[in-house]
Amino acid sequence: MPPGPCFDFKSGRCRRGTRCRFSHDTSTSTASSSSTTNLQLREDTETEAACRKWTYMIPRPDTISSRFGAAVDTNKFFQMGWNLIKSEDAGTRQHVITKLGAETGLAIIKSLTDIMDASQKDETTVSIFRDRTLPFYKIISHPDVLSSLILETPVDTIYTFLFGPSGRRGLRVFRSTATALSGMILGHSPGDEEVSAIAISSSLAVLDRLIEINQSAQVIEGFTAIVETISACIPENFMVPNAQQSLTRIRRRLNIGSLLPFAPTQSNPQSLLSAAFELSQDLPGNLSNNGARHDNDHASIADIQILPTAREIASPRQEYLPLIDSTQHHLSGLAGLLDRQFRLLREDTVGQLRDAVREEVTRLEHQNRNVPATHQGQQGVRKLIYHNVRFSRMCVDRKKGLQVVAEFDQPPQINHKSMKQREDWWKGSKLLQVDSLVCFVSSNGKIIFLSVCDPILPFHGRKDSISDDKRRLDDIPSLFRQANRASVLLGLAEYKTEDAIWISTHIVPSKTRQSLVEFPGVLLPSFQPTLQALQKMSRKLSLPFAEIVAPDSQTSAAVIKPPAYATKRGFNFNLDVLAGVPLTLTPGQSFDFTKLDGGSTLDEAQQFAVIQALSTGLALIQGPPGTGKSYTGVAIIKALLHNRKSADLGPIICVCYTNHALDQLLEHLVKDGVMQVIRLGSRSKSGLLQNLTLHHVREGVVPTKTEKHDKWEHNRDIGETLREIEDILSGLNNPNSWTNIQAHLLRTHNSHFKELFGKGVDEEGFQEVKGRKFRVVESWLRGAPKRLASNRPIAQLSAISLREMSTSERGVLHKHWIEQRSAQLTNDLIHVLDSYYGSKSALDNCHRELDLRCLREAHIIGVTTSGLARNIELLQRVRAKVMLCEEAGEVLEAHTLTAFLPGVEHAILIGDHEQLRPQINNYELQHDNPQGKRYSLDISLFERLVRPQMENLRVPLSTLKTQRRMHPSISELVRVPLYPDLQDHPSVSEYPEVDGMRDRLYWLDHQEKEDSQPAQAVSLSKTNTFEVDMIAALVSHLVRQGTYGSEDIAVITPYLGQMQKIKKRLTNSFEIVVGDRDQEELEAQGLQDDPETSTDGQSQVQKTTLLNALRIATVDNFQGEEAKVIVISLVRSNDKRKCGFLKASNRINVLLSRARHGMYIIGNSDTSRPVPMWAEVLSILERSNNIGPNLALCCPRHKETPIEVSFVALNAAQEQRKVASMSVRDLAEIYVSQNAKSYYSTSLYHVDISPGS
């Protein structure tokens, strides 16, 4: 295949000559080229030629500024520039904006702004605006320009220049713009309507960005008058959705009038004022009557550091936590909502770290206080302490930046173990894994948060002079290689100059007591991006649907308008894809449901939910268990995709709480023929989606010339910077080395340098005199004549010969040299690190620009809530108009708010507020806790809008009504207490009986007490050994009927500790699957299997798909899933009748609604009965005789023969200690032989269960 054309050659810039791998042939086609190829080549050439022509219009940098006006035709220049921008070529756009942001480009912009004067004649003002200013505005407000990562710097430069000193240039430009817009609108002809609408939209987009970048505009009075002038002259039919959104943001930032279009009535300013001054709460920062609590206590969340500071950790005062009652907040409306969500989420995540570190700080300050190495914090966070920590050396990594090696004492558990045993212990413990968050704590008060780095990457293949493999291996940090000390490579969790300085000055053995605190399972990326996004939103005060989720008025019912894109003149939804016949929907008008019903597979409630969702900008759909929430969501997505082009939707963002749910949704779409799907994140288990991950799709993107050049430039800069850093670190890591003395004297004291090193030294600091070698520095330190005993100050020593100094003076001066050199190196390090992080950030933007291009071309972008937080910067630039969130009732409000990306006009939340609430760490913030109810952090936005708290608006809700999962006897357990309108689809009544069981639904009631809690338990989770035994027996019996694949049976329990016990018990008989979230929680709580029982040091959990394994899960991580047969262990059984987690109806609901054919509950009914919902469930079971102490089995060959296993007999035998070696099968056979003449031949209890053991 012949090489492509060299565009550098065509523009006269190719310097490679005959070495160029592209063609220098000037002909535009060859005889063999197809007409398509010729056309493409001509189009590319024309674009290149136009770009070159436009570039040549820009004067050279050395051109005299006074000649700019005559040299550049701004009319032609900006019109050509706009034609290039709208050519849809990313490289061309990048070239144009980069040139405009350069000094010569800004000079041309100045020549335009200089002629913009509102005092001119209206015709002149309109003419200049229409011919020159408007093309310029369209260039710098193009959505791809404003959302580009690689163009951030030139775009900010252009807008800052346009604003001018103290906003003077911006005021002049927009006064002229306001005058021009008034003239265009008042004097327009019908044919000019579209031009006027574009002019309004572009002008407001530029003003919006100008005020966002230059926050001082908020205090410059002139901008308010300009906005009022523009607002007053715009007719309603000219105000397109984009312009309305820009104007709303501008008015909010400038605090003009009614901030939100849907909130015409304002709260009484006097009431807000009195609330702010009469609050009984101790307000934040300088608003507190007692002053700020510490250096990280601020009135504005934008000023708060995410990770706690040392003073914050030491502060005895309680943090300010806003209440759910918004009238008690120090801020109102959207600002108050964002403030509350930020502070509560930070307290739930960072607060537990703060309290755990505070305990260790206290222990270090009081040496006699004994604190165990493993400790469960007050809020439930598990922490581990590593003692006698010291930083041994620093290094640098190309991707991670500054790193430090920390050494500490090996844990006492592995004292006197072999190296292989130590290695197995560390691997099995899952401690100090890559990306784990740790905190360095010193008795002198220093606190540094760090994360664990991969030790192999920065040390592997390092080019140095070490040739001995053993020495190189010893150089790599290792947790297990040394018997007494472990070492780990750490990077700064957040780069701070003061932390880098502190570390660089403490690479020496320290006398202070120092520890490392680890928080297993806590990952900074799980909460930091969300908190940062909330901070950014608080600065911009821009959020779609703010008028609904954070109303300023006291109205009780929300007016939900159609999506903004659906209000365009002439638009309606084409629903042929759902109805199978021609059918349209015009939001706000009546709809013919009979046509939809005739050709749709949706039931009546699903049809209504779909139409309601398409008709309203913010739509809520409740889906009780088994009613087809996902199926309804897929139907909505198909309808939206069918109208994608007419509505100009861009990508649809699909957000799910779990990876499993996201995989299911995307697989459904792909199998139905949906194209252009991209999945964010690396946790997919789906083979079908492997080629649709962003990482995979990105590999096919070709970078633009600008991107290639920038990447090369940044990589070069990083390479040079890294070499500088390595040189600096070699000095800091060995502060006493002779090379440091040599470099310091060479730089600061030439005469002393010549005295010591003037005769030359070899590479090891030796000097040879008369055949004898000696170390220059050491010889000088020890070689003072005994007659010299002076002790002069350092200031005098600098002017004295080194030979004339006493031993003590030499020692003092040597120490001074080292200190001076270290200070200089540290100063150099900070400057070079600033350069590195700047280049690294710019390089990351180059890579993310490719990601952005991929995402913009997608039709569907699938992401989990945690993945959305990690990719928030990227997704905010995609310009999506539609966001659909499944499992919305499980998603924290903070995460949902961040999913309301800029530009979203249509949000669809699908969930069920009667099922699980969002999971949080701090019980003190939970709604079900009487003390935590005033905070209610675990109330999702979905639930808050459906069940308004305080003054919140109530949003209309569509509810699905027909369930297709549970047999009617099972669905009754949730229908009676929670879903009175829930109907059973006829198909669920036809489910077969559960093989091997007399009843499909049964509560096996017992009085066996839960396990007592050991004093030094690793976890506070509850267990019940008796129920573990019963579960094992029942599951074995069910599986051995031969009719169930193991994927058809699932075991659920509310407690992580019980799940781990069941897993350990069944792992020898079945292939066990534990979900990702449960596995992460097991590791975080230290509940994984004993690593010494694993031959390879790995956990015994089998990571397989759900299709060929027995699933064991906690109820909190099983929402949205189902199985033919569910076996439940309730665990709690105590005299106090406390049922713990299962007192919440949400959790009970999920527990009882997972089964399709059959469900078996093992638990103590007396413990559960005090809970109202359990009382209703027990009443239903008692009426149908589905509860009791005997489990009724069924022999496949003798179905008429009653077989029951009585726990009474088992317990009696256990009390008499007669079952020490007797299996449940033995007991069952004894019982059967006493009650039936036939032999029960099924292999019921092959798993030997000795409940007394």
Side-chain angles (χ1 to χ4, degrees), residues 147-173:
S147 62
S148 171
L149 284 154
I150 203 171
L151 294 178
E152 253 189 356
T153 300
V155 165
D156 285 357
T157 301
I158 292 168
Y159 276 92
T160 302
F161 178 81
L162 192 60
F163 188 70
S166 303
R168 288 192 295 272
R169 184 179 291 122
L171 284 171
R172 184 174 72 249
V173 166

PDB file of all heavy atoms in Angstrom, residues 147-173:
ATOM      1  N   SER A 147     -15.065  22.134  25.877  1.00  0.00           N
ATOM      2  CA  SER A 147     -14.956  20.897  26.659  1.00  0.00           C
ATOM      3  C   SER A 147     -13.625  20.189  26.457  1.00  0.00           C
ATOM      4  O   SER A 147     -13.360  19.180  27.103  1.00  0.00           O
ATOM      5  CB  SER A 147     -16.093  19.946  26.298  1.00  0.00           C
ATOM      6  OG  SER A 147     -16.031  19.582  24.935  1.00  0.00           O
ATOM      7  N   SER A 148     -12.769  20.716  25.587  1.00  0.00           N
ATOM      8  CA  SER A 148     -11.491  20.045  25.321  1.00  0.00           C
ATOM      9  C   SER A 148     -10.550  20.164  26.512  1.00  0.00           C
ATOM     10  O   SER A 148     -10.451  21.214  27.155  1.00  0.00           O
ATOM     11  CB  SER A 148     -10.824  20.656  24.085  1.00  0.00           C
ATOM     12  OG  SER A 148      -9.510  20.165  23.937  1.00  0.00           O
ATOM     13  N   LEU A 149      -9.858  19.068  26.790  1.00  0.00           N
ATOM     14  CA  LEU A 149      -8.847  19.078  27.860  1.00  0.00           C
ATOM     15  C   LEU A 149      -7.544  19.678  27.382  1.00  0.00           C
ATOM     16  O   LEU A 149      -6.893  20.445  28.086  1.00  0.00           O
ATOM     17  CB  LEU A 149      -8.615  17.640  28.331  1.00  0.00           C
ATOM     18  CG  LEU A 149      -9.711  17.045  29.218  1.00  0.00           C
ATOM     19  CD1 LEU A 149      -9.720  15.536  29.097  1.00  0.00           C
ATOM     20  CD2 LEU A 149      -9.524  17.447  30.657  1.00  0.00           C
ATOM     21  N   ILE A 150      -7.178  19.363  26.156  1.00  0.00           N
ATOM     22  CA  ILE A 150      -5.880  19.802  25.638  1.00  0.00           C
ATOM     23  C   ILE A 150      -5.887  21.301  25.319  1.00  0.00           C
ATOM     24  O   ILE A 150      -4.839  21.937  25.240  1.00  0.00           O
ATOM     25  CB  ILE A 150      -5.499  18.963  24.391  1.00  0.00           C
ATOM     26  CG1 ILE A 150      -3.994  18.967  24.173  1.00  0.00           C
ATOM     27  CG2 ILE A 150      -6.221  19.443  23.155  1.00  0.00           C
ATOM     28  CD1 ILE A 150      -3.527  17.987  23.112  1.00  0.00           C
ATOM     29  N   LEU A 151      -7.098  21.871  25.145  1.00  0.00           N
ATOM     30  CA  LEU A 151      -7.202  23.297  24.808  1.00  0.00           C
ATOM     31  C   LEU A 151      -7.533  24.168  26.019  1.00  0.00           C
ATOM     32  O   LEU A 151      -7.785  25.353  25.872  1.00  0.00           O
ATOM     33  CB  LEU A 151      -8.281  23.498  23.729  1.00  0.00           C
ATOM     34  CG  LEU A 151      -7.991  22.882  22.355  1.00  0.00           C
ATOM     35  CD1 LEU A 151      -9.160  23.108  21.409  1.00  0.00           C
ATOM     36  CD2 LEU A 151      -6.704  23.456  21.755  1.00  0.00           C
ATOM     37  N   GLU A 152      -7.525  23.563  27.210  1.00  0.00           N
ATOM     38  CA  GLU A 152      -7.888  24.324  28.416  1.00  0.00           C
ATOM     39  C   GLU A 152      -7.047  25.583  28.579  1.00  0.00           C
ATOM     40  O   GLU A 152      -7.562  26.673  28.829  1.00  0.00           O
ATOM     41  CB  GLU A 152      -7.731  23.432  29.651  1.00  0.00           C
ATOM     42  CG  GLU A 152      -9.037  23.001  30.248  1.00  0.00           C
ATOM     43  CD  GLU A 152      -8.856  22.297  31.580  1.00  0.00           C
ATOM     44  OE1 GLU A 152      -7.715  22.082  32.000  1.00  0.00           O
ATOM     45  OE2 GLU A 152      -9.876  21.956  32.200  1.00  0.00           O
ATOM     46  N   THR A 153      -5.736  25.439  28.428  1.00  0.00           N
ATOM     47  CA  THR A 153      -4.836  26.580  28.658  1.00  0.00           C
ATOM     48  C   THR A 153      -5.056  27.697  27.649  1.00  0.00           C
ATOM     49  O   THR A 153      -5.256  28.861  28.052  1.00  0.00           O
ATOM     50  CB  THR A 153      -3.372  26.117  28.646  1.00  0.00           C
ATOM     51  OG1 THR A 153      -3.193  25.147  29.688  1.00  0.00           O
ATOM     52  CG2 THR A 153      -2.421  27.280  28.873  1.00  0.00           C
ATOM     53  N   PRO A 154      -5.043  27.420  26.318  1.00  0.00           N
ATOM     54  CA  PRO A 154      -5.288  28.532  25.380  1.00  0.00           C
ATOM     55  C   PRO A 154      -6.687  29.129  25.516  1.00  0.00           C
ATOM     56  O   PRO A 154      -6.850  30.348  25.363  1.00  0.00           O
ATOM     57  CB  PRO A 154      -5.078  27.895  23.997  1.00  0.00           C
ATOM     58  CG  PRO A 154      -5.125  26.424  24.191  1.00  0.00           C
ATOM     59  CD  PRO A 154      -4.671  26.182  25.593  1.00  0.00           C
ATOM     60  N   VAL A 155      -7.698  28.313  25.808  1.00  0.00           N
ATOM     61  CA  VAL A 155      -9.061  28.849  25.969  1.00  0.00           C
ATOM     62  C   VAL A 155      -9.113  29.779  27.180  1.00  0.00           C
ATOM     63  O   VAL A 155      -9.667  30.887  27.104  1.00  0.00           O
ATOM     64  CB  VAL A 155     -10.081  27.688  26.125  1.00  0.00           C
ATOM     65  CG1 VAL A 155     -11.415  28.217  26.644  1.00  0.00           C
ATOM     66  CG2 VAL A 155     -10.290  26.984  24.795  1.00  0.00           C
ATOM     67  N   ASP A 156      -8.535  29.350  28.301  1.00  0.00           N
ATOM     68  CA  ASP A 156      -8.513  30.214  29.486  1.00  0.00           C
ATOM     69  C   ASP A 156      -7.749  31.507  29.202  1.00  0.00           C
ATOM     70  O   ASP A 156      -8.126  32.584  29.679  1.00  0.00           O
ATOM     71  CB  ASP A 156      -7.869  29.479  30.662  1.00  0.00           C
ATOM     72  CG  ASP A 156      -8.809  28.442  31.266  1.00  0.00           C
ATOM     73  OD1 ASP A 156      -9.955  28.334  30.810  1.00  0.00           O
ATOM     74  OD2 ASP A 156      -8.372  27.720  32.193  1.00  0.00           O
ATOM     75  N   THR A 157      -6.675  31.403  28.421  1.00  0.00           N
ATOM     76  CA  THR A 157      -5.885  32.593  28.058  1.00  0.00           C
ATOM     77  C   THR A 157      -6.737  33.575  27.266  1.00  0.00           C
ATOM     78  O   THR A 157      -6.725  34.789  27.514  1.00  0.00           O
ATOM     79  CB  THR A 157      -4.646  32.182  27.232  1.00  0.00           C
ATOM     80  OG1 THR A 157      -3.857  31.279  28.002  1.00  0.00           O
ATOM     81  CG2 THR A 157      -3.820  33.398  26.848  1.00  0.00           C
ATOM     82  N   ILE A 158      -7.493  33.057  26.298  1.00  0.00           N
ATOM     83  CA  ILE A 158      -8.344  33.918  25.460  1.00  0.00           C
ATOM     84  C   ILE A 158      -9.400  34.616  26.311  1.00  0.00           C
ATOM     85  O   ILE A 158      -9.615  35.835  26.197  1.00  0.00           O
ATOM     86  CB  ILE A 158      -9.006  33.084  24.340  1.00  0.00           C
ATOM     87  CG1 ILE A 158      -7.952  32.601  23.339  1.00  0.00           C
ATOM     88  CG2 ILE A 158     -10.085  33.897  23.628  1.00  0.00           C
ATOM     89  CD1 ILE A 158      -8.455  31.536  22.375  1.00  0.00           C
ATOM     90  N   TYR A 159     -10.068  33.874  27.177  1.00  0.00           N
ATOM     91  CA  TYR A 159     -11.143  34.457  27.986  1.00  0.00           C
ATOM     92  C   TYR A 159     -10.591  35.437  29.029  1.00  0.00           C
ATOM     93  O   TYR A 159     -11.229  36.454  29.324  1.00  0.00           O
ATOM     94  CB  TYR A 159     -11.957  33.361  28.657  1.00  0.00           C
ATOM     95  CG  TYR A 159     -13.039  32.801  27.754  1.00  0.00           C
ATOM     96  CD1 TYR A 159     -12.801  31.697  26.956  1.00  0.00           C
ATOM     97  CD2 TYR A 159     -14.297  33.387  27.701  1.00  0.00           C
ATOM     98  CE1 TYR A 159     -13.787  31.177  26.125  1.00  0.00           C
ATOM     99  CE2 TYR A 159     -15.296  32.888  26.879  1.00  0.00           C
ATOM    100  CZ  TYR A 159     -15.036  31.781  26.090  1.00  0.00           C
ATOM    101  OH  TYR A 159     -16.018  31.281  25.263  1.00  0.00           O
ATOM    102  N   THR A 160      -9.440  35.126  29.583  1.00  0.00           N
ATOM    103  CA  THR A 160      -8.832  36.056  30.543  1.00  0.00           C
ATOM    104  C   THR A 160      -8.444  37.353  29.850  1.00  0.00           C
ATOM    105  O   THR A 160      -8.638  38.454  30.381  1.00  0.00           O
ATOM    106  CB  THR A 160      -7.594  35.407  31.194  1.00  0.00           C
ATOM    107  OG1 THR A 160      -7.986  34.193  31.836  1.00  0.00           O
ATOM    108  CG2 THR A 160      -6.969  36.330  32.223  1.00  0.00           C
ATOM    109  N   PHE A 161      -7.905  37.245  28.639  1.00  0.00           N
ATOM    110  CA  PHE A 161      -7.554  38.435  27.858  1.00  0.00           C
ATOM    111  C   PHE A 161      -8.812  39.235  27.525  1.00  0.00           C
ATOM    112  O   PHE A 161      -8.831  40.465  27.613  1.00  0.00           O
ATOM    113  CB  PHE A 161      -6.831  38.024  26.584  1.00  0.00           C
ATOM    114  CG  PHE A 161      -6.458  39.179  25.692  1.00  0.00           C
ATOM    115  CD1 PHE A 161      -5.316  39.938  25.958  1.00  0.00           C
ATOM    116  CD2 PHE A 161      -7.249  39.524  24.607  1.00  0.00           C
ATOM    117  CE1 PHE A 161      -4.981  41.020  25.143  1.00  0.00           C
ATOM    118  CE2 PHE A 161      -6.915  40.604  23.795  1.00  0.00           C
ATOM    119  CZ  PHE A 161      -5.783  41.343  24.073  1.00  0.00           C
ATOM    120  N   LEU A 162      -9.872  38.532  27.138  1.00  0.00           N
ATOM    121  CA  LEU A 162     -11.120  39.201  26.773  1.00  0.00           C
ATOM    122  C   LEU A 162     -11.702  39.947  27.977  1.00  0.00           C
ATOM    123  O   LEU A 162     -12.302  41.017  27.829  1.00  0.00           O
ATOM    124  CB  LEU A 162     -12.125  38.157  26.267  1.00  0.00           C
ATOM    125  CG  LEU A 162     -13.388  38.653  25.565  1.00  0.00           C
ATOM    126  CD1 LEU A 162     -13.039  39.465  24.331  1.00  0.00           C
ATOM    127  CD2 LEU A 162     -14.266  37.470  25.177  1.00  0.00           C
ATOM    128  N   PHE A 163     -11.522  39.412  29.169  1.00  0.00           N
ATOM    129  CA  PHE A 163     -11.994  40.058  30.391  1.00  0.00           C
ATOM    130  C   PHE A 163     -11.206  41.336  30.666  1.00  0.00           C
ATOM    131  O   PHE A 163     -11.777  42.373  31.013  1.00  0.00           O
ATOM    132  CB  PHE A 163     -11.870  39.083  31.559  1.00  0.00           C
ATOM    133  CG  PHE A 163     -12.484  39.560  32.835  1.00  0.00           C
ATOM    134  CD1 PHE A 163     -13.864  39.652  32.969  1.00  0.00           C
ATOM    135  CD2 PHE A 163     -11.694  39.920  33.923  1.00  0.00           C
ATOM    136  CE1 PHE A 163     -14.447  40.085  34.158  1.00  0.00           C
ATOM    137  CE2 PHE A 163     -12.265  40.354  35.098  1.00  0.00           C
ATOM    138  CZ  PHE A 163     -13.644  40.432  35.218  1.00  0.00           C
ATOM    139  N   GLY A 164      -9.898  41.252  30.489  1.00  0.00           N
ATOM    140  CA  GLY A 164      -9.039  42.418  30.629  1.00  0.00           C
ATOM    141  C   GLY A 164      -8.789  42.823  32.070  1.00  0.00           C
ATOM    142  O   GLY A 164      -9.380  42.259  33.002  1.00  0.00           O
ATOM    143  N   PRO A 165      -7.907  43.793  32.286  1.00  0.00           N
ATOM    144  CA  PRO A 165      -7.599  44.267  33.647  1.00  0.00           C
ATOM    145  C   PRO A 165      -8.860  44.796  34.323  1.00  0.00           C
ATOM    146  O   PRO A 165      -9.549  45.668  33.773  1.00  0.00           O
ATOM    147  CB  PRO A 165      -6.565  45.381  33.406  1.00  0.00           C
ATOM    148  CG  PRO A 165      -6.008  45.115  32.042  1.00  0.00           C
ATOM    149  CD  PRO A 165      -7.118  44.502  31.258  1.00  0.00           C
ATOM    150  N   SER A 166      -9.171  44.247  35.507  1.00  0.00           N
ATOM    151  CA  SER A 166     -10.350  44.654  36.293  1.00  0.00           C
ATOM    152  C   SER A 166     -11.648  44.545  35.499  1.00  0.00           C
ATOM    153  O   SER A 166     -12.639  45.218  35.816  1.00  0.00           O
ATOM    154  CB  SER A 166     -10.180  46.096  36.798  1.00  0.00           C
ATOM    155  OG  SER A 166      -8.996  46.209  37.557  1.00  0.00           O
ATOM    156  N   GLY A 167     -11.647  43.751  34.443  1.00  0.00           N
ATOM    157  CA  GLY A 167     -12.865  43.526  33.673  1.00  0.00           C
ATOM    158  C   GLY A 167     -13.223  44.640  32.721  1.00  0.00           C
ATOM    159  O   GLY A 167     -14.306  44.621  32.118  1.00  0.00           O
ATOM    160  N   ARG A 168     -12.308  45.580  32.513  1.00  0.00           N
ATOM    161  CA  ARG A 168     -12.660  46.751  31.696  1.00  0.00           C
ATOM    162  C   ARG A 168     -12.917  46.371  30.238  1.00  0.00           C
ATOM    163  O   ARG A 168     -13.867  46.871  29.617  1.00  0.00           O
ATOM    164  CB  ARG A 168     -11.558  47.805  31.793  1.00  0.00           C
ATOM    165  CG  ARG A 168     -11.493  48.511  33.141  1.00  0.00           C
ATOM    166  CD  ARG A 168     -10.599  49.735  33.096  1.00  0.00           C
ATOM    167  NE  ARG A 168      -9.200  49.380  32.852  1.00  0.00           N
ATOM    168  CZ  ARG A 168      -8.331  49.079  33.817  1.00  0.00           C
ATOM    169  NH1 ARG A 168      -8.719  49.078  35.096  1.00  0.00           N
ATOM    170  NH2 ARG A 168      -7.084  48.782  33.529  1.00  0.00           N
ATOM    171  N   ARG A 169     -12.056  45.506  29.685  1.00  0.00           N
ATOM    172  CA  ARG A 169     -12.257  45.111  28.289  1.00  0.00           C
ATOM    173  C   ARG A 169     -13.560  44.320  28.150  1.00  0.00           C
ATOM    174  O   ARG A 169     -14.323  44.509  27.200  1.00  0.00           O
ATOM    175  CB  ARG A 169     -11.076  44.285  27.784  1.00  0.00           C
ATOM    176  CG  ARG A 169     -11.189  43.930  26.300  1.00  0.00           C
ATOM    177  CD  ARG A 169      -9.989  43.126  25.798  1.00  0.00           C
ATOM    178  NE  ARG A 169      -8.800  43.953  25.764  1.00  0.00           N
ATOM    179  CZ  ARG A 169      -7.676  43.679  26.433  1.00  0.00           C
ATOM    180  NH1 ARG A 169      -7.612  42.593  27.188  1.00  0.00           N
ATOM    181  NH2 ARG A 169      -6.623  44.473  26.355  1.00  0.00           N
ATOM    182  N   GLY A 170     -13.820  43.426  29.107  1.00  0.00           N
ATOM    183  CA  GLY A 170     -15.042  42.632  29.052  1.00  0.00           C
ATOM    184  C   GLY A 170     -16.291  43.498  29.115  1.00  0.00           C
ATOM    185  O   GLY A 170     -17.285  43.244  28.408  1.00  0.00           O
ATOM    186  N   LEU A 171     -16.276  44.516  29.952  1.00  0.00           N
ATOM    187  CA  LEU A 171     -17.424  45.419  30.052  1.00  0.00           C
ATOM    188  C   LEU A 171     -17.667  46.146  28.729  1.00  0.00           C
ATOM    189  O   LEU A 171     -18.810  46.242  28.262  1.00  0.00           O
ATOM    190  CB  LEU A 171     -17.196  46.435  31.179  1.00  0.00           C
ATOM    191  CG  LEU A 171     -17.369  45.921  32.612  1.00  0.00           C
ATOM    192  CD1 LEU A 171     -16.904  46.964  33.616  1.00  0.00           C
ATOM    193  CD2 LEU A 171     -18.830  45.556  32.881  1.00  0.00           C
ATOM    194  N   ARG A 172     -16.589  46.650  28.114  1.00  0.00           N
ATOM    195  CA  ARG A 172     -16.744  47.387  26.857  1.00  0.00           C
ATOM    196  C   ARG A 172     -17.282  46.472  25.749  1.00  0.00           C
ATOM    197  O   ARG A 172     -18.204  46.825  25.016  1.00  0.00           O
ATOM    198  CB  ARG A 172     -15.399  47.983  26.425  1.00  0.00           C
ATOM    199  CG  ARG A 172     -15.513  48.842  25.165  1.00  0.00           C
ATOM    200  CD  ARG A 172     -14.227  49.557  24.805  1.00  0.00           C
ATOM    201  NE  ARG A 172     -13.228  48.613  24.292  1.00  0.00           N
ATOM    202  CZ  ARG A 172     -12.127  48.296  24.954  1.00  0.00           C
ATOM    203  NH1 ARG A 172     -11.901  48.818  26.157  1.00  0.00           N
ATOM    204  NH2 ARG A 172     -11.251  47.462  24.436  1.00  0.00           N
ATOM    205  N   VAL A 173     -16.724  45.256  25.693  1.00  0.00           N
ATOM    206  CA  VAL A 173     -17.122  44.305  24.655  1.00  0.00           C
ATOM    207  C   VAL A 173     -18.594  43.917  24.814  1.00  0.00           C
ATOM    208  O   VAL A 173     -19.353  43.903  23.835  1.00  0.00           O
ATOM    209  CB  VAL A 173     -16.219  43.056  24.709  1.00  0.00           C
ATOM    210  CG1 VAL A 173     -16.819  41.913  23.896  1.00  0.00           C
ATOM    211  CG2 VAL A 173     -14.826  43.391  24.201  1.00  0.00           C
TER     212      VAL A 173
END
